[in-house]
Amino acid sequence: MKKLFVLAAMAAVSAGALAQSYPGTKPISIVVPFTAGGPTDRVARDLAEAMRKQIPGSNFVVENAAGAGGTIGATKVAKAAPDGHSLLLFHIGMAATPALYRKIAYKPLEDFEFLGMVNDVPMTLIGKPQLPANTYRDFENYIRANAGKLNIAHAGLGSASHICGLLWQSNLQTKDAMTTIPFGGTAPAMTALIGGQVDVMCDQTTNTVGQIEGGRVKAFAVTTAKPLAGHPVLKYYPSLQEMGLKNFDLTIWHGLYAPKGTPPAITKMLNDALKKVLKDPEFIKKNEALGALVVTDKRTDPAEHKKFVAAEMVKIKAAVDAAGKYAD
Ligand code: MLT
């Protein structure tokens, strides 16, 4: 018993010492479980820059660990040392992957410290420039008539682009299914779409706004319940609900996580910094320019963040079990 007490005391002392010396000179990695240049990477790079301002002397860097719908990067952080130098930026995939991958190496609610939510990002249905349609109605009719001959790109099972594609197609109920083409992220998928190698994709506005504005891809609809009337580029596209897809309402939430056991003094410092970042006009402006909204509600609080993800996990697991389609 005395030995246990001594060990606990020593652990507390070392955690205290760790927190006092944090962040120190060692870089703080924000792991992005998708390829560089994509929507999650974009949010992480803006976040790293903004967090640096809030924690003087800190060196936030972005590290990409892509693959398997985000599960490779998430596993990396779940298994990392709980010293505050490995963080994870993950989206709805945090809730979806445990439902789709039955053999998964992490449990979101047990293996991570929740550091608060960052933003909500709408999605857009887009197509290659050569696609013979210019309105959503024409696009839907073209898909209905040719689904068996067309393909749809995504960033792996459980990714946002996969979930959106699945939900949209299950609403359309086409006779034939489109062929799905997986990538390590929607950055390489976007290159293939612009090049005409893939036909269709549903992707986050943080990755599509620039391509739509540049006329390099065709856009047909947004996935939010209401059209994005306030956005200079996205205001021209209807919502899927307006096009008759009842109750279709999808935005991609992003949250920040650390390995379980990261000292409370460090997780508090990171959450305090994040809350300031979410009030930083420059960070807010960058998000809004890409159609995203920074989180301003109770989800910035770690306990509420965890409650929100737990509820999303239940919702998504029910849908996946009902469909009976798993990644493994
Ligand atoms: C990415 O960053 O590539 C995306 O978030 C992938 C996705 O989930 O669709």
Side-chain angles (χ1 to χ4, degrees):
M1 185 61 181
K2 188 157 174 286
K3 196 159 170 235
L4 264 182
F5 178 76
V6 171
L7 283 175
M10 282 166 63
V13 169
S14 72
L18 189 64
Q20 258 164 18
S21 64
Y22 186 81
T25 53
K26 186 179 169 195
I28 301 169
S29 256
I30 300 181
V31 172
V32 167
F34 297 102
T35 52
T40 310
D41 186 70
R42 180 62 193 265
V43 175
R45 288 178 196 279
D46 291 344
L47 182 63
E49 194 182 325
M51 289 289 273
R52 272 184 223 122
K53 283 198 292 187
Q54 299 302 338
I55 304 183
S58 66
N59 178 15
F60 284 85
V61 294
V62 173
E63 182 189 340
N64 299 89
T71 58
I72 291 176
T75 302
K76 183 181 168 78
V77 176
K79 310 272 179 230
D83 61 5
H85 290 275
S86 291
L87 308 180
L88 171 70
L89 182 78
F90 204 6
H91 56 31
I92 194 169
M94 182 63 119
T97 48
L100 280 158
Y101 296 81
R102 290 167 293 191
K103 299 187 208 75
I104 197 166
Y106 55 84
K107 294 192 179 79
L109 304 179
E110 293 158 30
D111 299 332
F112 294 96
E113 302 293 347
F114 287 60
L115 302 175
M117 296 199 54
V118 178
N119 66 3
D120 295 304
V121 184
M123 302 192 84
T124 37
L125 262 176
I126 56 175
K128 63 183 182 185
Q130 307 85 343
L131 214 76
N134 293 312
T135 66
Y136 179 77
R137 224 17 104 218
D138 295 350
F139 172 64
E140 189 179 290
N141 293 340
Y142 180 72
I143 301 292
R144 284 187 188 290
N146 302 282
K149 290 178 266 168
L150 297 171
N151 58 51
I152 182 165
H154 65 67
L157 300 182
S159 66
S161 43
H162 171 240
I163 294 168
C164 181
L166 212 58
L167 286 175
W168 174 61
Q169 288 185 83
S170 63
N171 268 278
L172 280 197
Q173 300 274 328
T174 51
K175 191 164 56 59
D176 306 314
M178 299 169 80
T179 307
T180 61
I181 314 248
F183 291 81
T186 53
M190 182 65 83
T191 307
L193 192 86
I194 292 170
Q197 286 96 50
V198 293
D199 303 311
V200 172
M201 177 163 69
C202 184
D203 194 12
Q204 296 161 69
T205 59
T206 37
N207 198 37
T208 62
V209 162
Q211 307 300 358
I212 296 168
E213 194 170 19
R216 289 178 289 277
V217 299
K218 288 189 173 177
F220 301 104
V222 295
T223 63
T224 40
K226 297 219 171 355
L228 299 166
H231 192 277
V233 174
L234 300 168
K235 65 183 178 187
Y236 298 108
Y237 306 99
S239 69
L240 287 171
Q241 267 193 31
E242 278 182 311
M243 292 294 109
L245 281 68
K246 253 168 92 267
N247 308 323
F248 201 107
D249 182 4
L250 181 65
T251 51
I252 303 304
W253 44 267
H254 289 78
L256 195 61
Y257 307 87
K260 188 74 183 170
T262 302
I266 292 179
T267 56
K268 180 168 183 338
M269 188 192 291
L270 291 164
N271 176 251
D272 289 349
L274 176 61
K275 283 179 176 161
K276 291 188 189 126
V277 163
L278 299 176
K279 293 196 171 75
D280 173 350
E282 203 187 324
F283 185 74
I284 294 170
K285 212 160 130 233
K286 279 183 182 167
N287 275 265
E288 287 175 355
L290 298 171
L293 287 179
V294 303
V295 171
T296 54
D297 58 33
K298 61 183 180 184
R299 294 175 295 155
T300 60
D301 170 72
E304 292 294 334
H305 173 191
K306 191 167 186 174
K307 246 195 255 168
F308 175 82
V309 172
E312 291 280 287
M313 288 173 69
V314 171
K315 215 167 63 180
I316 296 172
K317 185 165 177 11
V320 170
D321 289 346
K325 290 208 180 91
Y326 300 95
D328 52 11

